[in-house]
């Protein structure tokens, strides 16, 4: 048996208002005045001048606004890398991603691709990156994905939606300031937060579970239940959800996700459904695999009066179902974690089609 030796984020700051410490953190990492820090910022903040003015710019540092409307694409990463190579004489001193999972993944991918030749699509998979990434920092502004701790950056490529999973992917520094999550729309708060809750359910009920994953998964689940089922004060809720996301991410680092993720990747590939909401749409219909988790999820949906889209697969063609089924079935470790080594006995193409038809 070979045990996994995975990297973790080496430095992390936590605290309300800690965003103001970013300048002090970055200064020693500046190579010289020609090597800028590049801030990739969710364009939802473009109009929020109060936050933008707190970004510690100096020398030729640059802010690039990126839309989180769609999930990040390999060609978008390639274009950003080209833009940085064309615009600056020196390689950036660092890339700082400020936003949700979309921006965090974008920052990780750009940092990797600045030091590795070719297109980002050539690195989708496991351990295909050979050179250290440029110094990169993650500053989440919405909680749930665990992208701030994970060893992957999930990208939509020409052929597949798949992460660049590598030892060079994790951030060198993460700054967790729960205040930055002020203003997240309620539905989005729920969908992204449920990504964390579903990570916990899939990890804790999976066959890959070990004490390492369990310890993080249980803590994350407890925090999610406090946030979504109890009536706690907003600041406390923001703090707790940010830590839930972190622990949920740590939990799946040493285990795996399961049925909801395998199916939601298919939905997202075919229909462009975003990760958080896609997971919720699937999870709502798979009580047979996660009876307890889905029951609690439905309670949370009810309590917060959240809209979960229905019938999105009605009217799809056979070919379209096949595409979703192919994407989903290719994620073998997810199925194996969920259902064990003999998962193929349960999850036939026919069964999977029936499951997709419910969504
Ligand atoms: P997101 O980054 O897509 O953002 C969702 C929405 O919330 C966007 O409209 C964004 O503009 C808005 N938003 C973010 N912060 C805000 C704030 N403070 N105020 C107002 N609006 C705000 O959301 P997400 O759910 O965090 O990320 C989803 C992405 O993360 C997907 O692309 C998915 O593939 C990826 N993901 C990655 C990992 C990983 O380990 N790398 C894990 C899970 C998901
Ligand atoms: Zn997820």
């Amino acid at each position: 048996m070979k045990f996994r030796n995975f990297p973790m984020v080496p430095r992390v700051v936590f605290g309300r208002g800690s965003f103001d410490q970013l300048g002090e953190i970055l200064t020693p990492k500046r190579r010289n005045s020609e090597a800028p820090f590049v801030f990739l910022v969710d364009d939802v903040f473009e109009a929020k001048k109060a936050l933008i003015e707190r970004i510690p710019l100096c020398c030729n540092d640059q802010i690039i606004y990126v839309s989180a409307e769609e999930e990040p694409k390999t060609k978008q990463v390639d274009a950003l890398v080209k833009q940085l190579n064309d615009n600056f004489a020196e390689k950036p001193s660092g890339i700082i991603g400020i936003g949700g999972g979309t921006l965090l993944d974008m920052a990780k991918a750009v940092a990797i691709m600045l030091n590795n030749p070719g297109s980002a699509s050539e690195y989708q998979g496991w351990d295909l990156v050979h050179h250290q990434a440029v110094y990169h920092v993650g500053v989440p502004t919405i909680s749930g994905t665990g992208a701030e701790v994970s060893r992957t950056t999930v990208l939509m490529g020409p052929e597949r939606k798949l992460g660049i999973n590598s030892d060079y992917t994790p951030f060198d520094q993460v700054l967790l300031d729960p205040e930055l999550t002020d203003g997240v729309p309620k539905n989005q708060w729920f969908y992204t937060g449920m990504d964390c809750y579903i990570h916990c359910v899939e990890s804790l009920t999976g066959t890959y579970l070990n004490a390492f994953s369990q310890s993080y998964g249980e803590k994350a689940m407890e925090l999610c239940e406090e946030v979504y089922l109890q009536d706690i004060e907003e600041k406390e809720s923001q703090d707790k959800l940010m830590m839930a996301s972190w622990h949920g991410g740590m939990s799946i680092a040493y285990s795996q996700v399961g049925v909801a993720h395998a199916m939601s990747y298919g939905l997202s590939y075919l229909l462009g459904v975003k990760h958080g909401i896609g997971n919720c749409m699937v999870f709502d219909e798979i009580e047979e695999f996660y009876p307890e988790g889905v029951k609690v999820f439905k309670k949370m949906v009810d309590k917060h009066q959240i809209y979960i889209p229905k019938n999105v697969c009605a009217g799809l063609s056979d070919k379209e179902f096949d595409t979703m089924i192919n994407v989903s079935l290719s994620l073998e470790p997810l199925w194996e974690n969920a259902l064990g080594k003999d998962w193929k006995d349960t999850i036939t193409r026919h069964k999977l089609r029936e499951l997709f038809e419910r969504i």
Side-chain angles (χ1 to χ4, degrees), residues 60-350:
N60 57 350
D61 292 351
Q62 194 182 0
I63 295 179
I64 300 178
Y65 292 104
V66 179
S67 165
E69 194 69 34
E70 293 181 359
E71 303 214 321
K73 297 180 182 51
T74 52
K75 62 173 197 280
Q76 217 181 339
V77 172
D78 296 345
L80 271 171
V81 170
K82 181 171 185 310
Q83 180 185 337
L84 297 180
N85 284 333
D86 290 349
N87 289 0
F88 295 105
E90 290 246 2
K91 218 171 254 189
S93 293
I95 304 293
I96 298 94
I98 304 179
T102 302
L103 266 291
L104 297 179
D105 279 357
M106 193 71 88
K108 289 172 170 181
V110 167
I112 290 171
M113 294 312 299
L114 280 166
N115 275 351
N116 287 275
S119 160
S121 61
E122 293 163 44
Y123 299 89
Q124 286 179 284
W126 281 267
D127 301 305
L128 303 172
V129 180
H130 298 299
H131 305 285
Q132 185 98 41
V134 164
Y135 174 75
H136 52 305
V137 179
V139 183
T141 65
I142 180 170
S143 303
T145 63
E148 66 279 16
V149 290
S150 76
R151 181 184 182 272
T152 188
T153 157
V154 185
L155 301 175
M156 195 70 84
E159 279 156 34
R160 54 192 163 250
K161 178 181 173 187
L162 186 62
I164 300 180
N165 297 263
S166 85
D167 281 354
Y168 303 119
T169 309
F171 286 111
D172 297 295
Q173 167 83 55
V174 168
L175 189 147
L176 300 176
D177 181 346
E179 253 172 32
L180 300 180
T181 64
D182 274 347
V184 171
K186 182 161 184 191
N187 274 324
Q188 191 62 54
W189 162 80
F190 190 85
Y191 301 143
T192 299
M194 282 304 111
D195 188 21
C196 175
Y197 180 70
I198 296 168
H199 290 160
C200 298
V201 173
E202 295 188 321
S203 163
L204 291 171
T205 58
T207 61
Y208 290 2
L209 189 67
N210 59 25
F212 184 103
S213 298
Q214 188 177 2
S215 63
Y216 286 106
E218 285 176 351
K219 187 68 207 175
M221 182 171 265
E222 179 192 313
L223 291 167
C224 286
E225 290 183 352
E226 277 186 65
V227 168
Y228 288 102
L229 290 176
Q230 295 177 17
D231 296 304
I232 56 176
E233 190 257 330
E234 191 180 1
K235 287 194 171 78
E236 186 185 352
S237 168
Q238 290 176 337
D239 291 8
K240 288 190 163 166
L241 193 56
M242 199 161 254
M243 287 321 297
S245 176
W246 181 275
H247 281 77
M250 285 301 297
S251 179
I252 47 178
Y254 224 130
S255 64
Q256 223 348 316
V257 284
V259 179
H261 276 76
M263 290 181 62
S264 130
Y265 267 59
L267 272 186
S268 149
Y269 185 81
L270 182 75
L271 303 172
V273 176
K274 294 195 70 183
H275 188 74
I277 191 169
N279 282 349
C280 289
M281 285 155 57
V282 174
F283 203 60
D284 209 28
E285 299 295 341
I286 53 171
E287 206 158 355
E288 67 185 276
F289 298 105
Y290 303 110
E292 188 52 35
V294 175
K295 203 165 81 198
V296 174
F297 169 80
K298 286 181 188 287
K299 228 197 239 175
M300 293 170 173
V301 172
D302 276 352
K303 180 170 164 71
H304 297 285
Q305 297 285 299
I306 300 298
Y307 168 68
I308 310 283
K310 294 283 170 202
N311 295 321
V312 294
C313 292
L316 293 182
S317 66
D318 288 346
K319 196 167 159 246
E320 288 172 319
F321 274 111
D322 277 342
T323 303
M324 286 197 298
I325 292 169
N326 291 342
V327 170
S328 181
L329 285 179
S330 72
L331 299 163
E332 298 206 357
L334 283 64
W335 293 107
E336 186 180 295
N337 174 48
L339 303 166
K341 288 222 174 321
D342 299 327
W343 63 271
K344 287 182 181 155
D345 297 347
T346 320
I347 301 300
T348 57
R349 295 186 73 88
H350 179 75

Side-chain angles (χ1 to χ4, degrees), residues 48-64:
K48 298 189 181 172
K49 293 283 171 260
L51 181 85
I52 298 306
E53 281 164 8
R54 290 166 68 201
I55 295 178
L57 295 179
C58 161
C59 314
N60 57 350
D61 292 351
Q62 194 182 0
I63 295 179
I64 300 178

